[in-house]
Amino acid sequence: MNFDNSKPIYTQIIEDIKKKLIRGDIKLGDKMTSQRELAKEIKVNPNTVQRAYREMESMGLVKTLRGQGTFITEETDVLVEIKNDMASEILIKFIQEMRSLGFKDDEMINLIKEWQQKL
């Protein structure tokens, strides 16, 4: 992982896991990598990973079963909510940035349509 110094590492770990879940790289009900293994893999302090896992558990994104490990939730509603929340964040940032450049809403829509055809 390449970390952005402007955000806490634990939140970036959570975002990465959410993106993997949305893309289907991680499936509902999958067992997560252990906290120690993940810390070693991404070269961060184990306490940072522990905080990320704790936050994800409080969000309902993961569930820890004593002696078995940590698992992604099986609740499809959580996946839909995460997907919508992440899309909203991206759209809000995009619209704010475009407006700061002086673009009007209809101009943004036209640009999106143009780029959609190119991609």
Side-chain angles (χ1 to χ4, degrees):
M1 276 180 77
N2 294 321
F3 296 107
D4 175 356
N5 291 333
S6 67
K7 296 184 206 173
I9 292 173
Y10 80 93
T11 62
Q12 294 177 65
I13 293 169
I14 295 169
E15 284 179 21
D16 183 61
I17 290 169
K18 286 178 177 180
K19 286 178 183 177
K20 287 178 179 176
L21 183 59
I22 290 168
R23 286 192 311 258
D25 299 341
I26 298 173
K27 307 276 188 253
L28 294 176
D30 279 358
K31 185 174 182 179
M32 297 284 296
T33 305
S34 77
Q35 294 177 19
R36 285 187 183 167
E37 287 174 29
L38 183 58
K40 197 176 208 180
E41 182 183 315
I42 62 175
K43 298 177 176 75
V44 298
N45 187 304
N47 293 332
T48 302
V49 175
Q50 182 180 27
R51 180 161 183 196
Y53 275 49
R54 197 172 46 245
E55 292 287 326
M56 289 188 293
E57 190 149 17
S58 71
M59 293 177 199
L61 178 57
V62 299
K63 181 174 24 176
T64 301
L65 302 175
R66 176 167 257 146
Q68 295 179 37
T70 303
F71 297 83
I72 296 289
T73 185
E74 293 181 1
E75 300 291 326
T76 55
D77 293 350
V78 172
L79 177 60
V80 171
E81 184 179 333
I82 289 168
K83 193 173 187 175
N84 288 338
D85 288 348
M86 290 189 85
S88 293
E89 286 177 32
I90 291 167
L91 284 170
I92 289 167
K93 286 178 189 174
F94 169 77
I95 292 168
Q96 288 172 338
E97 285 294 316
M98 294 298 282
R99 284 181 178 163
S100 76
L101 293 172
F103 284 89
K104 305 239 183 291
D105 291 354
D106 59 331
E107 292 174 310
M108 284 186 263
I109 292 168
N110 289 333
L111 278 172
I112 290 169
K113 287 179 182 177
E114 285 176 32
W115 277 100
Q116 184 180 24
Q117 293 171 357
K118 292 178 185 179
L119 302 174

